[in-house]
Structures are given as structure tokens and as C-alpha cells.
Amino acid sequence: MTGARPGAGRRVPAPWRPAPGDEGVPAPAAGPPGTPSSGLSASEVAERVAAGLSNASTVRTSRTVAEIVRSNVVTFFNGLLTALWVVAALTGRWQNALFGGVVVANAAIGIVQEVRAKRTLDRLAVLNAPTVRVVRDGATTEVAVADVVLDDLLELRAGDQVPADGVVRSATGLAVDESLLTGESEPVAKAPGDAVWSGAIVVAGRGGVQATAVGDDAYAARLATEARRFTTTYSELVAGTNRLLRWIAVVLLVVAPAVLWSQFRSEDNVGWRDAVTGTVAALVGMIPEGLVLLTTLAFMVATVTLARRQTLVQELPAVEGLARVDVVCLDKTGTLTHGDVRFDRLERLGEEGHGPGDDEVRAGLGTLVAADTANATAAALAERFPAAGPAAVQVVPFSSARKWSAARTAAGRTWVLGAPEMVLPAPGTGPSAGARDRADELAAEGRRVLLLSCSPAAPVVTGEDAALPRGLAPVALVVMAEHIRADAAEVLGYFTDQGVALKVISGDNPRTVGAVAAAVGVPGVVGAVDAVDARMLPEDPDELGALLETASVFGRVTPHQKRAMVQALQRRGHVVAMTGDGVNDALALKDADIGVAMGNGSPATRAVAQLVLLDGRFAHLPDAVAEGRRVIANIERAANLFLVKNVYSLVMALITVVTLAAYPLAPVQLTLISTVTIGIPGFFLALLPNRRRYVRGFVQRVLRFSVPTGVVTGAAAYAGYATTRWLDAGGGVAAARTTATLVVAAVALWTLVVLARPLTAAKAWLVAAMAAIAGLVVAVPPLGEGVVLLDLSVQGAVVAGAISVPAAVLVELAARRGGLSAGPPERTTSRTAPTGSAVR
């Protein structure tokens, strides 16, 4: 993004400076003219809402019902089928117009399923919608982001996403990441008077901001709303299906005039009705009337299924994307361990009688955590160490990059709390060395350890940078308790068995991360010593990528490094999923192919993720992967079924153009074949379980099977038609079409068997039921002769059998050549995805 800075040309008040004594106060103390320090009143908020000055956006989170109806009804192929239905109806043979029911059924099913999915997703989106703290009528309250109005006074903390454009009113170490807007990777410090823009992420500190532009007038494209919007972002399935549909449309435009000409020239047809009937049959057969429906339906059903398992899909193609993932990057806290960090104990350092007393240490710790409660650790400590004295006179808030925070008291003492190796980077000898050694011992046990130090000097703050005060002395180790999730080991075992590489990427001590990773069974990790200290990582992307191929656990990773690690893996051809819950994970989640946020995570993290685990349980992720694999594999099955029909219909059409014969099938006969070999079975196969691993090349694989199979089926159908015309000249077109119908039905049913493999009980019953329906129609004269226009004879049945058997053998050979002889492997290992809402 170049040129003018964000917000250029927008209404931004003149820079405002805090009144004397306001420095360091998080809540606004004064404001531009017209906005009191107590914020807006209820009546002022109501006036702004009535005037349309709220943060509500015109961008919807999903399509409206009217848009859903229109998209399912008004399509090129539906329009063509409707026109052909009208033409078929005009011939006076109502049976040949029965395919019109397919149009109605497809549209109805698509509309009903998408409306159901819309209601489910919209309901979850509302429940998962982020909130923001605002000052109104002198009190701080939480409101939905959409309820923010112009001139509202906002309180922002680390982990928040800025909901509206605004001007900073007060700041305490406030730093925001604007990379989602500007591409600038470094956090930007904000002082009173500076502008902030919606979509930026607060990465450190806290501050008060007055909204200056809201809703559609705000600078950013409303990332949190866009993340939940009905989307058609890139997916191989959607792109491949659309490419196939474009090719089919072109073929129809080229072949249709030739078929119409040949049918009017054919001596087999008597009158214009027969010519039109043959043309309609040829064109209907080349239209994949249900392929788009099944693709959409598979996505929708997967989305609703995951929603029932507390997984919110914020972008539909993410369901498919999960099937392609081959590397999962995990944060430790909140993923492998429970996110509720609790205080365990305080270990004093140094000799008794030296340094601050216990009461002073507890008071200092209380002052420090009270000054910065934006992160989970400080919030947990605040429960045990309440502030007992005056507020700190200087605060350096915690930063994921610095990994420490500081507070200076009015008594002239500075307290620093943070990672031991960051607070004492060069411990030397004496108490400092002892503090580091003891911290390392606890970390190797899997404990989370913080070092509390003090100094008479003040920290040095320059813009967004801060340096530790001189003369720091270790005072105590703060040991935090967190326990490993009971289901973590089994979930990681599932991914390992499925060939998915695991990378544990955490900001904690490498020894702590290594111990936890070993406990949950990360491959190649046997203890704390196997973890890599991210401070030693190379900056070169290629070198970093090579290291990531060999190592699996990393500690002391900064947010910038998390993002670089995701990008390095992608450069090496991996499809990366990233899980996280903190603001330090947000940018890596955004860059990952699939970002997975925990429902109890920061608003910024949830806003940029494609998936949100609403109850924060990592155990749901295997369910999501299984759904992705089901979608990708089953849509490929359905695409094969539809493309085979399109190919054999095209082959028969081309043969009739060359031979000037009547088209070998009537429209009603093609409708029967499509129903029992494609429509009904395709619907059920698209919804059945299928855990086949993702294989690249969807379109090429489909064409490799469907083209030869369709050619064989089309040639066999014409062979049956021509043979019957030759053996039984008196039988006419009706008898020949009956033979062709039997041939196509038999070969298509065998194609269904091939694509349904491996034949589970459910799929065997499905195939048997379809064969029974076809047999029933043929055997019952009112159905076979009265509706499907069959003219059965023993001779025709013998000819059909003689041609169908070798054709089925050729289909089998095509399947073997395409790698489908044993069916797509649905389970590649003995371990399956954990089911339900938890792994036990």
C-alpha cells in the first residue's frame, strides 16, 4: 500500500494532548469539544444510531435468502434445461419432459441446504462476534463492535483489534500492528494525538481512543466481518469444477447446432417431433445438472456438521483446505495445555535478610501486574497479588517481542517480570547465575517460570523500544501451573499417523516447551533438550525452512518469527495450518493456509482465522480434517459420475452427427439412467465418510477416468442401437433405443460400483438399491413401456448383455489405469479421527 497514509482525506480531529496528570491513565480523561470525559450519554448514542453513524457495516456475513434463491435458480445450465423442457413439452410426449423435475429438485435442495447452513453460521457468528469496551455515561461497558458509534471513547488492550478509525486519547505503552493494513511488519508506538485505523491489532499496552470514522466510512475493509462473509475464495475443487463447466458450456454451443441438423436429416426420425426429441436428449445428457449442487451441498453439510461440533467455519473453502494440510504449527498454551494459567508458588532467591522483604516483594508484584493485566499471566497473578499501594509512575507493558514488563513505583524502585533468559540475558556469577540455573531446572520439568527482579534505576523507553534498567537483581521465581490436555497425545497421534508433520511453536522457555512436547508424544522429541531456542534461528528463509524440516519444537519464538516460520514452510511447498489463541499468533494465522483460532482467544486472532474452535478444544481439529477429506474425495467421486455421463452423451451425439442416425436414447430414458446411476447415488456418496488423503490434480484425475469410461459407454450404447436396427429392422427406433438404454444402464451401474469402492455395507446396499429400481422399471410394463418408452424383447436383452459385459471389462481396465481398481483408500492407518467433541 503506497501513497497517502491510511485515513488520508478522512475526518480526524486536531491532535489532542492529555491534561496535566493524565499521563499513564488508560481511560480517556478529556476529549475534543463536544465529548465529555465520561463518554457519550445514552441519548447521544441513540441520536448517532438514528443518524446512521454506527459501526454497523453494509457488508453482510452471508448471502440473503433472496440471493440464495437467485443463485440456485438463475444459472446458465438451469436456463438451458428449462428451455429444453419447454421444447420437449411442445412435442406432446410428456414422458420426455420429466427431466424438468431435476431442475426443480436441484434448485430446491440447494436452496434448503444453503438456507439451513446460513442460519446456523449466522447464529454462531453472532455468538462469536467480538466486543469492545466503551466509556458511556461515566462507566466502562462492553458492546458489540457493530454498536460502536461516532465519537465513542474506546478502551483498547493488548489482543484487541481496533474496531473503528480513531485518535488516541491516552496511552500506556500502546503499540499496534498495522501490517494487515500497510504491510509494515514492525509494531507502531502510539501516543496521544496519533491516529489509529480499524483492523490494526493492539500488540502491547493499553489506551483510550475516540472513534472518528465508523462503519463503511472506516479505513479498513472490516476484517472481522469479511472473515465470516460467504466467500468463494480459491479452492482446487471449486476452480476445477468451474473449469469443467466452462468446457462443457463451450462444447454445448459447438455441438448443439450440429446435432439439431443431423436429427432433422436422419431417416430414423419421422417428423419434427422425433428430431426435436433426439436433440433434446443429446443436449440434456451433456448438461451436468447436479454437479454444482453436490459441490455446494458437500461444503454446506460439512460446515453444519462442524458447527455442531463447536467449530465455526468462517470461509467455506477452508473445509477443503484442511484436507490439503501437511504441516500443523501449534502453540503450546491453550492448544497442548489448558489456557487457564494459574499461580503455583513464589520461590525467593538470594540469601535470607538480603534484598526486599516478603511483604515488599508481594506489594511490588501487585503493583506490576495491576499496571498491565492485558495478558493471561498477569491477570492470573492479579488474583493473588492485589495492588496495595499507589499506582506505578512508569509502566512498560508486556510485549511478546520483549517478553518482560516493568513498573516503577513512587518509592523509586523498578520491578521487572519476565522470561528469566530475557530479564537476565547474561547472568554471570553469584545470585544471577543461581537464579538462571534454578529457572532452567523448573523449565525442564515442564513448568512455566517467570523471574521477578528489581532495580533502583528506571527503564529506558524510546518510542516503541524499551530497555531494561541497570543494576537488576533477581528477587524471586514466579512459578505458574498449567496442565496438559488429556486428549492432546491422541490428537497429535492422529496427525502423525495421517502423515501430517507437527511443529510446536511457542513463546515460552524452550525447555518448558520441549518437556510438554515430549509428554504429548511429538515425534522426534524425547525431552527438554530437543527444543530449539528461537533466538538462534537464522533469518534467511531458505535456511530457516531447512531447519524446520528437521526440528519440531521451538521456544522463545517472537510473533515476527512465527510469521516467518509459516512463510518458510510455504516456500518449501507445504500447506500449513496454524493454531493459536493470543495476539502474538494473529499474523501467523493470517499468513497460514488455514488459520485455526481458539474461541477463548483474542478478538484479533478470531478475526483473521478461517476456523474458530468455539470451545477452545484442539480435539475438534481432527474432525475438521476428516470433514475436509470427505468433501474433497466425495466431490471427486461425484464429478467422475457426472463427467462420464457428459462424455458418453457427447460421444453418442458426435456419432449421430456423422451417421445421421437418431439419437440412441430418448430424454426420459436418459432421465432414468441419470437418476439411478448418478443423481441418487451421487447425493449419498457425497455425504458418506471418506478419509482418503488429499492428492493434488483433481481435474486431471477426473478426466483420466471419465473420458475413457465415457467413450466406452457411448460407443457401447451406439453399438447396441445399431445392432438392434440391423437384426430387427421392423422393431424401429423404439426397440433400438431400448437396447441402448439397457447397455448404458448396465455399464453405468458397473461404473458406480468402481467409484463406490471400497464397498462398505452402506455403499453395497446403495448400489443394490439402484440396480433394483432400474430392474423394477424395466420389469413392470406400465413403468417400462408406459413411462420410459421401452420396447422390450428377448433379442434386445441378449444383444444388450453381449455388449455390456465387454464394455464393463473395458471400464474396469480404465479404472485400473486411473488408479481406481481397488477404490480410493479411505483409511490409510489403523488410527482414525477422534469422533465427537473430545478424544478420550
Side-chain angles (χ1 to χ4, degrees):
M1 190 173 297
T2 58
R5 295 182 62 197
R10 301 182 184 277
R11 185 176 70 84
V12 178
W16 173 87
R17 293 291 181 266
D22 287 342
E23 291 83 354
V25 179
T35 303
S37 60
S38 59
L40 299 176
S41 66
S43 60
E44 290 172 325
V45 171
E47 290 173 1
R48 284 164 170 76
V49 171
L53 300 177
S54 73
N55 213 29
S57 173
T58 58
V59 179
R60 293 183 299 274
T61 58
S62 64
R63 298 195 288 186
T64 65
V65 173
E67 289 172 335
I68 291 172
V69 172
R70 186 164 57 250
S71 66
N72 281 277
V73 173
V74 184
T75 68
F76 169 75
F77 290 118
N78 276 356
L80 183 56
L81 283 170
T82 301
L84 293 174
W85 177 83
V86 172
V87 172
L90 291 176
T91 64
R93 296 172 180 171
W94 62 269
Q95 299 96 327
N96 285 327
L98 289 177
F99 67 86
V102 174
V103 181
V104 177
N106 283 345
I109 293 172
I111 291 168
V112 170
Q113 290 295 334
E114 188 168 346
V115 169
R116 286 181 59 198
K118 164 190 165 60
R119 290 173 178 170
T120 300
L121 294 180
D122 285 354
R123 183 170 62 253
L124 286 178
V126 170
L127 295 175
N128 191 55
T131 59
V132 63
R133 290 168 294 278
V134 299
V135 179
R136 291 177 179 173
D137 288 321
T140 301
T141 185
E142 286 195 2
V143 301
V145 168
D147 293 336
V148 172
V149 299
L150 189 68
D151 293 326
D152 251 332
L153 301 182
L154 315 175
E155 288 187 6
L156 301 178
R157 302 174 187 171
D160 290 340
Q161 190 170 38
V162 181
D165 294 353
V167 60
V168 177
R169 298 286 305 273
S170 63
T172 302
L174 182 65
V176 301
D177 192 309
E178 298 174 344
S179 60
L180 297 179
L181 307 175
T182 67
E184 174 58 47
S185 61
E186 295 300 322
V188 179
K190 295 293 184 179
D194 291 343
V196 293
W197 298 279
S198 59
I201 297 172
V202 181
V203 295
R206 52 184 178 172
V209 171
Q210 178 172 340
T212 59
V214 295
D216 293 337
D217 291 332
Y219 171 73
R222 301 301 309 276
L223 290 178
T225 300
E226 287 293 314
R228 288 186 301 275
R229 188 181 179 188
F230 180 91
T231 179
T232 53
T233 54
Y234 178 79
S235 95
E236 185 185 4
L237 284 181
V238 174
T241 301
N242 287 339
R243 191 156 66 249
L244 291 173
L245 293 178
R246 285 195 296 270
W247 293 344
I248 291 170
V250 171
V251 169
L252 278 169
L253 292 175
V254 173
V255 174
V259 172
L260 181 63
W261 170 81
S262 70
Q263 292 304 290
F264 272 96
R265 292 287 305 275
S266 175
E267 294 180 359
D268 291 345
N269 292 322
V270 180
W272 68 270
R273 288 181 173 84
D274 287 348
V276 168
T277 297
T279 303
V280 169
L283 298 184
V284 168
M286 288 187 283
I287 297 175
E289 65 274 3
L291 181 56
V292 175
L293 168 67
L294 282 183
T295 302
T296 303
L297 184 63
F299 276 130
M300 291 295 175
V301 170
T303 301
V304 173
T305 300
L306 290 175
R308 292 176 182 146
R309 296 174 181 171
Q310 295 298 300
T311 301
L312 173 61
V313 179
Q314 301 198 121
E315 295 184 19
L316 293 183
V319 176
E320 173 204 334
L322 281 167
R324 302 199 304 267
V325 167
D326 61 358
V327 177
V328 175
C329 296
L330 314 165
D331 188 19
K332 175 181 71 68
T333 305
T335 302
L336 301 182
T337 64
H338 289 275
D340 53 340
V341 181
R342 301 187 305 279
F343 172 74
D344 184 14
R345 65 183 186 273
L346 194 68
E347 285 194 13
R348 288 299 308 271
L349 299 171
E351 299 178 5
E352 188 174 350
H354 292 77
D358 288 346
D359 291 341
E360 188 177 0
V361 169
R362 298 179 71 86
L365 189 55
T367 300
L368 196 153
V369 297
D372 181 25
T373 58
N375 63 82
T377 301
L381 290 174
E383 297 179 4
R384 296 293 297 270
F385 301 96
V393 297
Q394 184 183 8
V395 176
V396 178
F398 177 81
S399 162
S400 296
R402 288 191 297 268
K403 301 193 184 303
W404 57 266
S405 61
R408 186 166 178 79
T409 66
R413 189 185 294 274
T414 300
W415 298 92
V416 178
L417 180 67
E421 64 271 27
M422 306 300 283
V423 176
L424 293 177
T429 59
S432 296
R436 284 288 301 273
D437 290 343
R438 178 57 179 158
D440 288 343
E441 291 176 9
L442 292 169
E445 297 173 4
R447 304 281 186 174
R448 189 172 185 179
V449 186
L450 302 173
L451 175 62
L452 177 67
S453 300
C454 67
S455 170
V460 180
V461 180
T462 306
E464 65 266 29
D465 296 326
L468 291 164
R470 297 184 305 276
L472 271 178
V475 173
L477 292 176
V478 180
V479 184
M480 307 300 293
E482 55 179 350
H483 58 284
I484 297 174
R485 291 182 181 270
D487 50 25
E490 187 170 354
V491 175
L492 295 189
Y494 165 78
F495 282 116
T496 300
D497 285 348
Q498 295 297 313
V500 178
L502 302 170
K503 307 295 175 185
V504 182
I505 302 174
S506 175
D508 285 353
N509 186 298
R511 291 176 174 269
T512 303
V513 183
V516 172
V520 297
V522 174
V525 181
V526 297
V529 295
D530 293 317
V532 176
D533 192 327
R535 292 173 296 174
M536 303 294 108
L537 290 178
E539 293 188 2
D540 180 76
D542 294 328
E543 294 180 12
L544 178 60
L547 178 60
L548 286 165
E549 296 285 5
T550 59
S552 298
V553 181
F554 303 84
R556 293 300 174 221
V557 185
T558 65
H560 173 73
Q561 286 177 313
K562 287 187 177 184
R563 196 176 193 183
M565 294 166 88
V566 168
Q567 293 171 345
L569 287 167
Q570 291 171 327
R571 282 169 60 95
R572 298 179 72 87
H574 292 292
V575 180
V576 182
M578 174 76 192
T579 71
D581 61 350
V583 64
N584 57 325
D585 302 316
L587 300 178
L589 260 67
K590 171 184 172 290
D591 286 350
D593 297 281
I594 300 294
V596 183
M598 301 299 168
N600 55 356
S602 69
T605 305
R606 299 199 310 270
V608 300
Q610 284 86 19
L611 295 178
V612 180
L613 306 181
L614 296 175
D615 57 3
R617 303 185 69 173
F618 179 54
H620 292 313
L621 198 53
D623 291 331
V625 172
E627 281 298 309
R629 291 182 173 180
R630 183 189 63 75
V631 166
I632 239 179
N634 286 345
I635 288 179
E636 184 171 322
R637 274 179 173 160
N640 273 310
L641 286 173
F642 280 100
L643 262 294
V644 166
K645 186 197 77 166
N646 298 147
V647 172
Y648 69 64
S649 297
L650 174 62
V651 168
M652 289 189 291
L654 293 177
I655 291 176
T656 58
V657 170
V658 174
T659 62
L660 295 182
Y663 191 76
L665 298 174
V668 67
Q669 294 161 353
L670 193 58
T671 299
L672 169 66
I673 295 169
S674 297
T675 301
V676 299
T677 66
I678 300 171
I680 296 175
F683 177 85
F684 284 102
L685 288 176
L687 304 181
L688 288 175
N690 193 329
R691 293 190 177 93
R692 189 196 72 181
R693 294 184 186 180
Y694 165 74
V695 182
R696 194 184 302 273
F698 162 69
V699 172
Q700 294 83 352
R701 201 160 48 251
V702 168
L703 292 177
R704 192 163 57 243
F705 173 77
S706 62
V707 170
T709 300
V711 170
V712 168
T713 306
Y718 182 75
Y721 177 88
T723 301
T724 301
R725 290 285 287 158
W726 174 61
L727 293 176
D728 184 12
V733 173
R737 280 178 170 168
T738 299
T739 303
T741 300
L742 296 177
V743 170
V744 174
V747 178
L749 282 171
W750 186 254
T751 302
L752 175 61
V753 171
V754 169
L755 292 174
R757 291 171 181 164
L759 286 175
T760 62
K763 287 184 283 188
W765 276 106
L766 175 65
V767 174
M770 296 302 100
I773 291 174
L776 180 66
V777 171
V778 172
V780 177
L783 294 176
E785 298 176 8
V787 178
V788 188
L789 305 180
L790 298 177
D791 185 5
L792 290 170
S793 67
V794 174
Q795 178 179 272
V798 171
V799 170
I803 294 175
S804 300
V805 172
V809 172
L810 291 176
V811 169
E812 185 68 29
L813 293 176
R816 292 177 183 273
R817 180 176 175 274
L820 296 176
S821 58
E826 294 191 6
R827 294 188 182 183
T828 54
T829 67
S830 59
R831 190 191 300 261
T832 59
T835 57
S837 60
V839 180
R840 301 191 186 278

